[in-house]
């Protein structure tokens, strides 16, 4: 969560880019854990449906397939978020911070 503080009419937002980087680092592990849960879910359903036949089983299969469909592909979603949005946001904050630091150093040197 970003901290906000006000100076005059401007609002400054403190952004912890280390947390963004931590998420980017942890994302592959989260995807792997999710995929393992999904495989377990599919195996359990396969085992159940291997023993269960009839209209109830058909409806159960429909519902569990629907759940998997709604869950979608977390790997693709995380990849899009991490390789696109979050990486760009983090890189832009780092770039702006570097530019502001360079500007402040130049201004301090000009005053000497």
């Amino acid at each position: 969560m970003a901290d906000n503080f006000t100076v005059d009419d401007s609002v400054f937002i403190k952004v912890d880019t280390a947390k963004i980087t931590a998420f980017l680092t942890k994302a592959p592990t989260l995807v792997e854990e999710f995929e393992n849960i999904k495989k377990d879910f599919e195996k359990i359903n396969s085992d159940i449906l291997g023993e269960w036949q009839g209209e109830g089983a058909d409806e159960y299969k429909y519902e569990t397939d629907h759940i998997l469909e709604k869950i979608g592909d977390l790997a693709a979603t995380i990849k899009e978020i991490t390789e696109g949005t979050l990486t760009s946001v983090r890189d832009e904050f780092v770039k702006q911070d570097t530019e502001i630091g360079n500007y402040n150093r130049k201004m301090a040197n000009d005053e000497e």
Side-chain angles (χ1 to χ4, degrees), residues 27-43:
T29 303
L30 296 174
V31 169
E32 184 179 334
E33 288 174 11
F34 179 79
E35 290 301 320
N36 288 336
I37 291 168
K38 214 166 115 176
K39 285 178 188 172
D40 289 345
F41 181 79
E42 290 170 341
K43 181 175 179 346

Side-chain angles (χ1 to χ4, degrees), residues 68-80:
L68 290 172
E69 178 185 317
K70 287 293 183 187
I71 289 172
D73 184 1
L74 182 65
T77 303
I78 293 290
K79 181 178 180 179
E80 183 178 323

Side-chain angles (χ1 to χ4, degrees), residues 6-112:
T6 304
V7 177
D8 299 325
D9 291 334
S10 300
V11 175
F12 295 87
I13 299 172
K14 177 183 170 188
V15 176
D16 188 347
T17 56
K19 288 186 180 178
I20 295 172
T21 300
F23 177 77
L24 293 171
T25 302
K26 190 174 183 176
T29 303
L30 296 174
V31 169
E32 184 179 334
E33 288 174 11
F34 179 79
E35 290 301 320
N36 288 336
I37 291 168
K38 214 166 115 176
K39 285 178 188 172
D40 289 345
F41 181 79
E42 290 170 341
K43 181 175 179 346
I44 289 167
N45 289 326
S46 176
D47 291 349
I48 289 170
L49 291 170
E51 300 294 324
W52 187 11
Q53 294 181 2
E55 192 173 323
D58 294 343
E59 189 60 30
Y60 176 83
K61 182 175 181 345
Y62 173 80
E63 288 300 322
T64 57
D65 288 350
H66 185 66
I67 290 169
L68 290 172
E69 178 185 317
K70 287 293 183 187
I71 289 172
D73 184 1
L74 182 65
T77 303
I78 293 290
K79 181 178 180 179
E80 183 178 323
I81 290 169
T82 58
E83 292 180 6
T85 307
L86 283 181
T87 299
S88 296
V89 167
R90 182 199 54 196
D91 292 350
E92 189 60 32
F93 274 114
V94 170
K95 177 183 165 201
Q96 292 301 317
D97 184 53
T98 301
E99 288 178 8
I100 290 169
N102 290 338
Y103 175 80
N104 288 338
R105 277 187 290 284
K106 181 182 180 311
M107 295 303 290
N109 289 335
D110 288 348
E111 289 178 1
E112 294 173 358

